[in-house]
Amino acid sequence: MIVIPGPASQILGVKVARLLNSEVAAVSFKDFPDGETYVRIDADLKGRDVLLIQSTYNPQDKNLIQLFLLIDAVKQMNPEKLRVVVPYLAYARQDKQFKKGEPLSIKVIEEIIEKLGVDELYTIDIHEPKVLNHLKIKAKDLSAMPLFGDYFKKKKMSNPLVIAPDDGAIHRAETVAKILDSEYVSLDKFRDKDTGEIKMDYKELNVKKRDAVIVDDIISTGGTMIKAIQMIKNQGGGSVYVAATHTILIGEAKSKILSAGAAEIIGTDTIPSETSLVSVAPLIAEQFKGL
Ligand code: R5P
């Protein structure tokens, strides 16, 4: 197997290659003076088993175009197989028509990936795994939650309670709780479709003097985490750790979450940043061991 670390996942790609003991193909990339994107893979991929890793965080459209161009560059060389890992798949939250006249954005992205000739697509904690059912090719969503479980197991926490900010994240909380051998619960969060404002119904939590771990797929504006932290702190909770696979953390989100009382914000390197305290490299490498 030969690994191609896309421009948006260079360190992650190299980490995966190391874990797999695989060759790494160098990618050169630049922007033309008019803003268009250039990529080039410096390797012969004819008959090779190729693993391309490219996340599509902000700037999403640029990273997506790089992904599409890299897929085409690989295909031009007639590989044996092309597997693509998109750790953070942009547009995944536009998974339905919320209002008349909107596109089904994630389906568009998936159709392009499929039409370009990818054999297998892998994502990590995609917002709604069901969106992968649009694809005819093999598509699989991996979960970073066991990695978070291992991370928190190393911390000395006092009788932790694992909390999902909404029902959609309950399976994530369950996975982490199983590793910590602890209880888990979900909160009742709602988002106003027009204003984006987050509301959370009061819920009695058995969290007094206990540490709490809030887990989610994404932290974007931080609104969800802040409401959850407030709920826990108002009920006498101890240290509150917030963990999400994709820590987008728009604007002042990080400082607002810390000011709300979070002890730590833990993210992964699907979006490389200072909160990437957990690497998804072992999770990705595990999938392709022995190939
Ligand atoms: C939504 O259902 C997601 O799972 C996250 O809870 C959400 O995207 C977080 O967004 P924000 O940080 O803006 O509240």
Side-chain angles (χ1 to χ4, degrees):
M1 178 170 271
I2 181 163
V3 177
I4 304 178
S9 297
Q10 293 177 80
I11 296 171
L12 175 60
V14 171
K15 277 188 186 168
V16 171
R18 281 198 189 138
L19 290 170
L20 289 170
N21 250 328
S22 296
E23 205 183 319
V24 175
V27 174
S28 42
F29 58 95
K30 65 176 181 185
D31 288 342
F32 287 110
D34 64 356
E36 289 182 358
T37 300
Y38 173 89
V39 292
R40 180 174 173 265
I41 302 167
D42 192 11
D44 184 5
L45 303 175
K46 190 170 181 338
R48 302 290 305 265
D49 221 332
V50 178
L51 179 64
L52 167 63
I53 304 174
Q54 164 82 348
S55 210
T56 55
Y57 50 85
N58 188 11
Q60 297 87 338
D61 297 354
K62 164 71 70 187
N63 289 332
L64 278 169
I65 289 290
Q66 284 176 342
L67 171 68
F68 300 153
L69 298 181
L70 283 168
I71 293 171
D72 187 66
V74 174
K75 292 298 288 184
Q76 302 273 354
M77 289 189 251
N78 295 316
E80 167 71 22
K81 197 157 207 165
L82 171 56
R83 296 180 175 91
V84 174
V85 179
V86 187
Y88 174 71
L89 183 58
Y91 293 98
R93 284 182 290 175
Q94 185 70 30
D95 57 0
K96 52 173 96 84
Q97 255 197 340
F98 297 95
K99 286 181 186 164
K100 196 169 172 254
E102 289 177 351
L104 197 42
S105 310
I106 188 58
K107 191 162 169 269
V108 174
I109 304 296
E110 288 173 330
E111 277 175 5
I112 297 172
I113 291 173
E114 189 163 66
K115 281 193 178 129
L116 286 170
V118 168
D119 294 299
E120 295 175 10
L121 174 68
Y122 295 81
T123 56
I124 301 180
D125 286 320
I126 193 166
H127 182 60
E128 175 48 80
K130 276 190 205 136
V131 300
L132 296 177
N133 296 342
H134 294 303
L135 292 155
K136 290 181 206 78
I137 57 169
K138 176 176 173 184
K140 188 173 175 185
D141 186 52
L142 312 175
S143 176
M145 294 302 137
L147 299 173
F148 284 134
D150 294 343
Y151 178 89
F152 288 116
K153 211 167 180 180
K154 289 184 199 130
K155 282 193 186 288
K156 287 197 178 80
M157 289 196 290
S158 160
N159 190 16
L161 178 63
V162 183
I163 298 174
D166 55 32
D167 244 10
I170 190 73
H171 60 288
R172 306 190 202 280
E174 184 181 9
T175 305
V176 174
K178 265 192 189 146
I179 296 168
L180 297 180
D181 197 16
S182 65
E183 291 177 307
Y184 65 96
V185 67
S186 72
L187 303 176
D188 302 316
K189 175 196 101 175
F190 312 91
R191 189 187 290 272
D192 185 301
K193 281 195 177 61
D194 293 313
T195 64
E197 201 199 331
I198 308 270
K199 291 189 179 129
M200 207 169 261
D201 283 351
Y202 177 81
K203 187 165 189 172
E204 192 80 42
L205 300 168
N206 179 19
V207 77
K208 203 164 186 182
K209 292 193 180 139
R210 293 171 74 180
D211 292 339
V213 174
I214 315 171
V215 290
D216 212 347
D217 54 340
I218 294 173
I219 306 176
S220 184
T221 63
T224 301
M225 286 298 184
I226 290 166
K227 290 276 182 212
I229 294 165
Q230 287 166 347
M231 177 91 68
I232 296 161
K233 288 288 184 189
N234 287 342
Q235 296 186 45
S239 300
V240 182
Y241 297 90
V242 307
T245 310
H246 314 293
T247 40
I248 300 173
L249 293 169
I250 295 165
E252 304 298 304
K254 190 177 166 206
S255 59
K256 284 186 193 159
I257 291 170
L258 293 173
S259 308
E264 194 175 27
I265 303 171
I266 304 106
T268 77
D269 48 3
T270 60
I271 302 176
S273 77
E274 54 187 355
T275 51
S276 305
L277 302 180
V278 169
S279 176
V280 292
L283 175 69
I284 298 171
E286 184 61 36
Q287 289 297 310
F288 308 108
K289 251 184 199 147
L291 292 178

